[in-house]
Amino acid sequence: MKIKCPGCKKNINLREGTYPKEKKFSFLCPGCGTKIKINPQDKPAEETNASDQQRHLYGKDLKKHILKNNNSLPPIPDILLRAKKTIENPGHSAKELAKIISLDQAIAARVLKLANSAYFNFNPPIPTIEEACLLLGEKNLMSIIMVAQMTKMLDKSLKGYNIATGNLFYHSIASAVAAELIANEKMPLFDLDAFSSGLLHDCGKLILNDYVNQRKQEFIHLITVDKMTCYRAEIKMFGFSHAEIGFDLLESWHLPEIQTHAIGFHHNPGESGMNELSYILNAADYLAKKSGFSAADYCIESNHVLEAEVKDFLNIEDFEIEEFTKKIRNNVLEMTKDFTFS
Ligand SMILES: [Fe+2]
Ligand SMILES: [Fe+2]
């Protein structure tokens, strides 16, 4: 049986006789550790990819069709879920957390590398995961686990959007750093939610990529000839955007509502019902691009201006934009120095 891991997209070949044919079963992806559930009643993975797209579907119907296709929606990474649950338990210990992180050697190595990056500036360096769990504090630790885990998901090249390997990752990190900086300076109440929602704000592109790729000429035309942003081009083609389908994905991950809502409106915060975090994400997205971390080379979004409405809402002055930009660039470079994609 051929399976595509919904987490890392690795193709896995299950040998006959090694799995039950008529019962539901699950196993861990050897590539990323994602728990893959198999129901023999479902269509085989290779038959349910985006090539099945019904061209006549649009808007709600198309979104429903995409959401029904389990392979498009990666499940919440296991380590992230377990770490989150452990941190939420007030009686947790650093040892418990270290054990969870150490389950995946690649993640553990990344967590340690990030903990010792110039961004956190620990001297002497942190030698073990357990000490990282003790010293970093829960907020930083959760951010680091998210970055370490999300690398696998965000480092992919997305052909539909012309995003080269690593660029979505850097754009996401820069947006996370930017969101945290803006929250710290302007709205400290959102300090805890800013980093993770910044990191995940464009995750809907992972889901829509195959569908954009199938209609790439039309997409490029809308962007280059009709001068639409990626966001507007998606709405024109599908009736919804990566922000909205990202909302659906993260809702299924049970991310805090304030974060999912903000991500759903990160391109149109004015329609969010005054969701402050969606304004922060909109400005963070702009500042990430202005700092040199734009994901796609042909998207007009890379030149867009910070809307006056967002500037006013967050009380951002022109001189602060330059200061933010410098800080974001430095922080991202410090955090990702020597970072390699596997
Ligand atoms: Fe976006
Ligand atoms: Fe973005």
Side-chain angles (χ1 to χ4, degrees):
M1 184 194 293
K2 282 181 186 156
I3 309 284
K4 188 174 226 165
C5 170
C8 65
K9 305 286 179 208
K10 185 185 169 82
N11 288 315
I12 303 162
N13 215 344
L14 290 182
R15 270 189 296 125
E16 284 269 326
T18 60
Y19 57 89
K21 276 197 165 165
E22 274 146 30
K23 277 198 302 188
K24 291 180 187 173
F25 66 99
S26 63
F27 66 99
L28 296 180
C29 168
C32 69
T34 295
K35 192 173 186 179
I36 303 174
K37 293 178 183 166
I38 305 292
N39 181 353
Q41 310 299 319
D42 291 344
K43 280 168 90 185
E46 60 268 41
E47 289 177 28
T48 55
N49 61 28
S51 62
D52 281 350
Q53 184 188 359
Q54 307 282 312
R55 284 287 177 103
H56 60 277
L57 291 180
Y58 184 81
K60 271 187 192 164
D61 295 334
L62 177 59
K63 191 142 75 81
K64 220 164 136 189
H65 171 80
I66 296 174
L67 292 169
K68 251 190 184 173
N69 176 357
N70 287 333
N71 295 312
S72 304
L73 291 174
I76 184 165
D78 205 36
I79 287 187
L80 202 59
L81 190 65
R82 293 176 66 176
K84 198 169 164 258
K85 273 191 185 156
T86 307
I87 285 176
E88 278 165 7
N89 171 11
H92 76 266
S93 68
K95 206 171 195 158
E96 260 177 279
L97 263 174
K99 219 170 158 183
I100 293 169
I101 297 167
S102 303
L103 283 174
D104 184 323
Q105 284 309 303
I107 297 288
R110 269 190 207 129
V111 166
L112 212 52
K113 197 177 247 184
L114 282 161
N116 282 310
S117 66
Y119 183 73
F120 292 104
N121 199 20
F122 275 102
N123 198 6
I126 301 175
T128 63
I129 293 288
E130 196 173 326
E131 279 185 64
C133 295
L134 266 175
L135 294 170
L136 281 166
E138 285 160 11
K139 181 179 156 259
N140 286 336
L141 188 66
M142 209 50 210
S143 301
I144 280 184
I145 297 172
M146 279 198 97
V147 171
Q149 179 71 66
M150 289 302 136
T151 317
K152 283 178 182 173
M153 206 179 275
L154 298 171
D155 69 353
K156 294 181 178 68
S157 67
L158 300 183
K159 276 190 186 164
Y161 291 100
N162 255 18
I163 297 178
T165 307
N167 283 359
L168 183 61
F169 173 77
Y170 279 105
H171 173 66
S172 304
I173 294 266
S175 303
V177 165
E180 193 173 56
L181 278 172
I182 300 168
N184 277 339
E185 302 238 346
K186 305 289 180 184
M187 292 184 173
L189 212 67
F190 298 94
D191 192 27
L192 283 174
D193 293 300
F195 189 94
S196 48
S197 49
L199 189 68
L200 295 170
H201 76 286
D202 274 337
C203 68
K205 286 188 178 175
L206 296 168
I207 304 168
L208 274 190
N209 176 54
D210 283 349
Y211 297 85
V212 171
N213 200 30
Q214 281 182 14
R215 296 166 65 178
K216 196 162 174 183
Q217 287 317 313
E218 191 183 342
F219 189 64
I220 291 175
H221 185 91
L222 290 172
I223 287 170
T224 55
V225 181
D226 296 345
K227 305 290 179 204
M228 285 187 186
T229 62
C230 289
Y231 167 73
R232 290 281 163 218
E234 286 166 349
I235 293 179
K236 170 96 180 154
M237 280 167 53
F238 307 125
F240 58 89
S241 72
H242 67 278
E244 287 159 82
I245 204 148
F247 168 90
D248 287 297
L249 168 69
L250 298 171
E251 209 179 28
S252 76
W253 281 18
H254 304 294
L255 214 70
E257 199 190 323
I258 175 137
Q259 294 187 26
T260 50
H261 193 72
I263 287 169
F265 288 95
H266 75 268
H267 284 287
N268 53 338
E271 293 165 36
S272 68
M274 306 288 270
N275 177 298
E276 291 93 337
L277 191 56
S278 70
Y279 282 87
I280 293 176
L281 290 186
N282 184 279
D285 193 20
Y286 163 79
L287 288 170
K289 288 162 188 163
K290 193 165 168 58
S291 311
F293 301 104
S294 177
D297 51 11
Y298 61 44
C299 279
I300 296 175
E301 281 165 18
S302 60
N303 316 321
H304 83 222
V305 290
L306 187 57
E307 304 271 346
E309 181 203 355
V310 178
K311 257 171 92 177
D312 289 349
F313 189 93
L314 295 170
N315 198 16
I316 296 178
E317 303 286 344
D318 283 337
F319 75 90
E320 288 178 294
I321 292 180
E322 294 311 316
E323 284 175 12
F324 276 132
T325 306
K326 266 187 222 153
K327 279 188 194 165
I328 293 163
R329 192 148 186 86
N330 281 344
N331 289 359
V332 172
L333 294 176
E334 282 178 354
M335 197 183 265
T336 58
K337 191 168 179 269
D338 303 326
F339 217 79
T340 48
F341 298 107
S342 55

